[in-house]
Amino acid sequence: MEGSTPAPPTVTNPAGLPRQVIEALRAAGTATRDIHVPPGTYRVAGFATVPSATTLTFDDVRIEMASSAVFLKTLPQTRDVAIRGRLAFVGNGSEFAAVSLNSSTNVSVELDAGVEGLALRHAFVTIDRCSGVKVGGTLGSRDSRLVAVSDSSGIEVSGVRAGPYSTDPGDGVVRVLSTGRFGVSKGVNIHDITVDGGNVLRTSGVVSVSANLGTPDILDVAVSRCAIRNTAGPVDAVDANRCQNVVVSDVSAENVNVGVAVIASHARVSRVQGARCRAQALAFGDPTWQSEDIADLLAEDVTALDCGSGFGSVAGAGVSVLHSPTTETRDVTLRRLVSTDSGARLQKYGLGIGPRAKNVLVESSRLAGVLGPMLNLAGPDQVKVRP
């Protein structure tokens, strides 16, 4: 039709992207590169490497993967990279990742990206042994993981707006892991995350920060401004396991397992709202996964409504202080809790305290449940309640 705008091109070549883009990425030298990928649909049959001192901008691009490789990657020792713009990413169910960052420093991924069709358990952005990486923008999916981090420090992740999920991607939507093979990981900041699990996410916590069993704890963890709902089975909204120096704030959790689960020492939790959680809105410690003593824990301004319906004893409460059979959870302050049953007769107790909990202080709180305000198995000498 006269005056109509031609459709953007569909391009296929060895790396999928326009030839001038590939040539610019491969160009030798240390000069700063500012490379734009023009609008279009690109069928990618091989990976492209992003070198140091490069800004790569996608100008409303659609990527369709045609191989099991990654789409973009950085090599070890790469630094000062920015990947940004607007991108639709369509996987073929076999690729490793979209963006793979490897032993790199000072990398920013700021994309407005819709993601679909990634291989099971693989993520849109993977970060391995990196330092100083920021992932942001707006990342969305209904079937794929989005960010997976391993053995890295100085990590910031934000802007996930995912779901409702139609299939389980096989692991957490945002997950930070330390294997312990490369020293201590520290400095993790996850914020502004919204996920609707569509009642199908059932494999792992939606937002999870954890070190492997028997390895050094992850240090200095912050999680804030998260709204997570509609998971299945034992899947929590926010997990911090085998960490130290943890701050969790402003979390809304509905129809999940645990809203916020903290198995960490020196932790501060504030402004958590949990509704209809199958377990607790907030749990310090865990009867199964806790592998070490934890201590110095504070929770303030936590609301739990109709939680704990899937469990009995001290886990059938809106808020619980828990532990495994061989560990202790001690020096816990709980302040301004509102943990109640609405009349739906789902929440058994306002607060549950396990037998190996030590030195628990409850202040200025309103607790109620179908079976009573509190189940305290630790005994009155370990729990103090103050108005």
Side-chain angles (χ1 to χ4, degrees):
M1 181 182 297
E2 184 177 354
S4 64
T5 301
T10 297
V11 177
T12 302
N13 64 39
L17 297 175
R19 197 170 307 281
Q20 66 270 26
V21 172
I22 298 301
E23 290 173 353
L25 289 171
R26 291 174 176 170
T30 59
T32 299
R33 303 168 179 84
D34 190 352
I35 303 168
H36 284 252
V37 181
T41 297
Y42 303 101
R43 296 193 180 99
V44 175
F47 67 84
T49 300
V50 184
S52 293
T54 297
T55 296
L56 182 63
T57 303
F58 294 93
D59 296 330
D60 202 2
V61 166
R62 178 180 174 90
I63 299 297
E64 297 178 353
M65 291 298 291
S67 77
S68 59
V70 302
F71 169 42
L72 300 174
K73 72 176 183 178
T74 63
L75 300 177
Q77 322 265 312
T78 299
R79 60 183 305 120
D80 303 327
V81 165
I83 301 170
R84 64 190 188 187
R86 184 175 177 86
L87 177 69
F89 185 89
V90 182
N92 61 18
S94 67
E95 57 286 297
F96 175 76
V99 179
S100 178
L101 308 177
N102 302 281
S103 300
S104 301
T105 303
N106 191 26
V107 179
S108 172
V109 180
E110 291 277 345
L111 290 169
D112 180 359
V115 180
E116 61 179 286
L118 275 168
L120 187 68
R121 294 185 295 276
H122 293 171
F124 178 65
V125 180
T126 63
I127 302 165
D128 181 52
R129 286 175 282 171
C130 294
S131 63
V133 176
K134 179 179 180 180
V135 178
T138 304
L139 304 180
S141 183
R142 298 186 65 176
D143 63 5
S144 300
R145 302 180 68 201
L146 291 172
V147 182
V149 182
S150 60
D151 299 315
S152 299
S153 294
I155 302 299
E156 180 180 355
V157 180
S158 66
V160 169
R161 301 286 185 271
Y165 274 80
S166 56
T167 60
D168 183 7
D171 207 332
V173 177
V174 177
R175 185 174 183 185
V176 178
L177 173 70
S178 173
T179 69
R181 295 195 300 266
F182 304 98
V184 176
S185 294
K186 60 183 179 180
V188 176
N189 182 9
I190 301 172
H191 60 92
D192 296 287
I193 308 292
T194 300
V195 177
D196 186 332
N199 298 310
V200 300
L201 293 186
R202 62 177 62 249
T203 305
S204 182
V206 176
V207 174
S208 175
V209 183
S210 64
N212 278 353
L213 185 65
T215 68
D217 291 347
I218 298 176
L219 305 180
D220 305 330
V221 175
V223 181
S224 61
R225 297 189 297 279
C226 297
I228 298 170
R229 59 188 300 182
N230 298 333
T231 68
V235 172
D236 301 336
V238 174
D239 285 331
N241 189 0
R242 289 184 284 273
C243 301
Q244 292 192 45
N245 305 330
V246 175
V247 178
V248 180
S249 62
D250 300 291
V251 174
S252 172
E254 180 179 355
N255 189 29
V256 299
N257 192 54
V258 180
V260 174
V262 175
I263 313 173
S265 289
H266 314 300
R268 303 291 180 263
V269 178
S270 61
R271 298 183 299 279
V272 172
Q273 295 185 335
R276 294 172 295 283
C277 299
R278 294 179 290 280
Q280 304 82 37
L282 168 65
F284 281 137
D286 187 273
T288 301
W289 302 109
Q290 186 169 336
S291 59
E292 58 192 18
D293 293 347
I294 58 174
D296 184 22
L297 309 171
L298 170 66
E300 296 180 306
D301 302 305
V302 175
T303 300
L305 181 67
D306 295 336
C307 295
S309 61
F311 294 86
S313 189
V314 293
V319 176
S320 293
V321 180
L322 304 170
H323 51 79
S324 67
T326 60
T327 62
E328 292 183 352
T329 298
R330 62 180 182 268
D331 304 328
V332 181
T333 299
L334 306 172
R335 188 176 293 139
R336 295 188 299 278
L337 308 182
V338 178
S339 180
T340 61
D341 184 87
S342 69
R345 302 188 66 80
L346 296 172
Q347 184 166 304
K348 299 171 185 67
Y349 302 98
L351 175 63
I353 299 175
R356 295 174 64 88
K358 309 292 184 185
N359 188 27
V360 179
L361 173 63
V362 184
E363 294 184 322
S364 305
S365 295
R366 180 158 60 92
L367 306 173
V370 175
L371 301 180
M374 182 190 306
L375 178 59
N376 174 18
L377 300 184
D381 58 327
Q382 295 298 334
V383 179
K384 296 179 181 178
V385 179
R386 296 176 179 168

